[in-house]
């Protein structure tokens, strides 16, 4: 009986030990499962942020304006409809600072709250162009960039600018580069943001009739608050608003960028073009090289027609392109130089038309640098067709002028035969 009692005790102890071990293993498994569930929850909680960041990156990269349009509808209580969208980027170089128009969309916005009608020409129907810009500083120094991308079109009675109430503030370029940070663009930094241009219904229709709009691209600044030290030269972006406008923009790529072309003053038709001429003349310390010229038939649009009332027999434009290599000690002032065409065996001459060029006071080619320079002339079409085109045409260029119209080439001119 003693033996049986001892064996029974050992059996009970063995059973109890096995049960405790199984219980411990069970607890360990449950704990492991709980930890795995917690880890899964943590991953699931992180995923929306990562997904949101990814969507934000993609939207900024591709110019997907859907969220911005939804925000605009909610904010204005209006109804939006996309009329046109373009995702082909345009780039303007500013000597180490790059400005790009990444994408844009034209949205019809109707029946919005009267709180927003002032920038829409006091109307509650209209449209908005939303544009995405990127400014990149490729230099090894900080620069200063004020993003004043004014928009205009032929016949517009004002310049259009960003209306900050239509988009989230944190998305807007004028908020990212603003007085709060002195418009500072740090060395190597790239900033992307949006602009919203509002149009009332009547103004929108005017722009659609033209089919294109132009946006001014300002230069960067080397020193804070000092606009006398520009980095690069101002430029323009050309935006089509419909298929007709896209065709016009594509066609204009073939022409030199005089004001007639950049400002959509009418239609050009190429009559003759010479390129890669490469003939050079020396004027003082400046080498003047005729690169090429274009002769075009020009039909002004309705808005610009009053400027050309003296041409009853049609208009022909001659635009010449030069390269000016300034090896002198003073800047060349592009807005004060002149030239003329000598036609009909020297019996007639035609002066250049500076009002049809984009040069402004302060546009210069610095000492030691070279740059493009255009000259444009308006010709009577009938005389061109009957007389001038079959005879040699001479282009007399100069003299070279510097700041305050100072004559840098001592009255000398250069002559090229076209």
């Amino acid at each position: 009986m003693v033996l049986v009692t001892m064996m029974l005790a050992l059996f009970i102890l063995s059973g109890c030990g096995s049960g405790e071990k199984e219980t411990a293993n069970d607890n360990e498994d449950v704990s492991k499962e709980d930890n795995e569930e917690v880890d899964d929850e943590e991953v699931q909680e992180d995923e929306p942020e990562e997904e949101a960041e990814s969507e934000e990156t993609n939207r900024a990269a591709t110019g997907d304006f859907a969220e911005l349009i939804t925000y605009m509808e909610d904010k204005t209580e209006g109804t939006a409809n996309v009329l046109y969208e373009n995702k082909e980027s345009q780039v303007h170089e500013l000597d180490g600072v790059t400005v790009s128009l990444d994408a844009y969309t034209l949205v019809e916005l109707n029946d919005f709250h009267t709180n927003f009608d002032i920038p829409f020409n006091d109307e509650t129907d209209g449209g908005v162009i939303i544009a995405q810009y990127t400014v990149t500083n490729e230099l090894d120094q900080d620069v200063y960039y004020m993003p004043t991308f004014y928009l205009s079109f032929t016949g517009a009675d004002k310049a259009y600018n960003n209306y900050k109430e239509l988009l989230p503030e944190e998305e807007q370029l004028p908020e990212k580069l603003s007085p709060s940070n002195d418009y500072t663009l740090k060395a190597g930094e790239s900033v992307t943001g949006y602009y919203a241009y509002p149009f009332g219904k009547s103004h929108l229709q005017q722009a659609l009739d033209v089919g294109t709009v132009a946006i001014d691209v300002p230069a960067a600044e080397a020193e804070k608050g000092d606009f006398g030290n520009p980095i690069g030269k101002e430029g323009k972006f050309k935006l089509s608003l419909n298929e007709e406008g896209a065709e016009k923009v594509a066609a204009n790529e073939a022409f030199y960028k005089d004001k007639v072309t950049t400002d959509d003053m009418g239609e050009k038709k190429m009559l003759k073009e010479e390129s890669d001429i490469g003939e050079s003349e020396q004027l003082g310390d400046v080498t003047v090289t005729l690169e090429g010229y274009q002769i075009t038939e020009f039909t002004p649009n309705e808005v610009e027609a009053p400027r050309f009332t003296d041409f009853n027999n049609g208009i022909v434009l001659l635009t010449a392109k030069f390269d000016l290599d300034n090896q002198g000690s003073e800047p060349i002032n592009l807005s004060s130089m002149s030239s003329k065409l000598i036609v009909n065996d020297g019996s007639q001459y035609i002066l250049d038309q500076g009002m049809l060029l984009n040069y402004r006071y302060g546009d210069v080619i610095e000492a030691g640098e070279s740059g493009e320079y255009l000259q444009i002339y308006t010709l009577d079409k009938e005389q061109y067709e009957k007389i001038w085109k079959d005879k040699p045409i001479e282009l007399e260029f100069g003299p070279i002028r510097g700041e305050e119209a100072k004559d840098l080439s001592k009255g000398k001119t250069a002559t090229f035969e076209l």
Side-chain angles (χ1 to χ4, degrees), residues 16 22 52 64 66 71 85 110 144 148 161 173 201 221 231 234 236 241 247 286 317 320 350 367 379 390 397 399 405:
C16 290
E22 287 174 3
D64 183 1
Y71 176 93
E85 190 166 299
N110 291 324
Y144 304 90
T148 50
N161 199 11
L173 189 60
K201 186 176 182 179
E221 301 298 331
I231 298 176
E234 299 171 343
K236 284 183 182 291
L241 303 183
E247 292 175 3
V286 179
L317 301 176
I350 301 164
L379 289 68
D390 295 323
F397 182 92

Side-chain angles (χ1 to χ4, degrees), residues 319-350:
T319 308
K321 182 170 76 169
F322 299 89
D323 178 80
L324 304 182
D325 185 8
N326 182 14
Q327 294 304 313
S329 59
E330 299 183 47
I332 297 172
N333 189 342
L334 299 181
S335 65
S336 63
M337 287 192 293
S338 60
S339 63
K340 63 182 178 182
L341 293 182
I342 302 172
V343 298
N344 197 15
D345 298 323
S347 63
Q348 296 173 278
Y349 66 89
I350 301 164

Side-chain angles (χ1 to χ4, degrees), residues 49-220:
E49 289 186 10
E50 293 175 2
E51 185 176 344
E53 290 174 2
S54 176
E55 288 178 357
E56 177 68 21
T57 301
N58 289 336
R59 179 164 63 81
T62 63
D64 183 1
F65 301 103
E67 291 183 24
L68 297 179
I69 293 172
T70 299
Y71 176 93
M72 187 168 62
E73 285 183 303
D74 294 341
K75 186 73 178 292
T76 65
E77 301 178 29
T79 302
N81 176 45
V82 175
L83 298 179
Y84 188 78
E85 190 166 299
N86 190 316
K87 294 184 179 180
E88 294 182 9
S89 65
Q90 301 180 46
V91 178
H92 182 65
E93 299 289 347
L94 295 169
D95 296 339
V97 178
T98 300
V99 182
S100 65
L101 170 65
D102 305 319
Y104 65 91
T105 185
L106 171 61
V107 179
E108 186 178 37
L109 184 65
N110 291 324
D111 193 28
F112 49 84
H113 198 286
T114 57
N115 287 345
F116 299 88
D117 64 3
I118 293 178
F120 288 88
N121 197 35
D122 294 326
E123 297 176 287
T124 55
D125 292 318
V128 180
I129 293 177
I130 306 175
Q132 175 186 300
Y133 298 102
T134 298
V135 186
T136 303
N137 180 9
E138 299 169 349
L139 301 174
D140 57 2
Q141 65 183 56
D142 293 354
V143 299
Y144 304 90
Y145 196 79
M146 183 183 296
T148 50
F149 297 118
Y150 287 105
L151 180 150
S152 62
F153 57 88
T154 302
D157 56 5
K158 70 172 186 177
Y160 298 83
N161 199 11
N162 182 56
Y163 181 43
K164 67 178 185 178
E165 301 300 328
L166 297 177
L167 302 178
E169 283 195 17
E170 67 275 10
E171 296 277 11
Q172 299 179 45
L173 189 60
E175 293 296 322
K176 296 182 179 184
L177 292 171
S178 67
S180 64
N181 56 23
D182 296 322
Y183 305 104
T184 304
L185 193 63
K186 296 186 179 298
E189 184 180 17
S190 183
V191 176
T192 297
Y194 294 86
Y195 241 67
Y197 301 95
F199 303 85
K201 186 176 182 179
S202 56
H203 287 194
L204 174 63
Q205 190 56 54
Q206 291 177 23
L208 289 172
D209 290 342
V210 175
T212 62
V213 298
I215 292 177
D216 294 331
V217 182

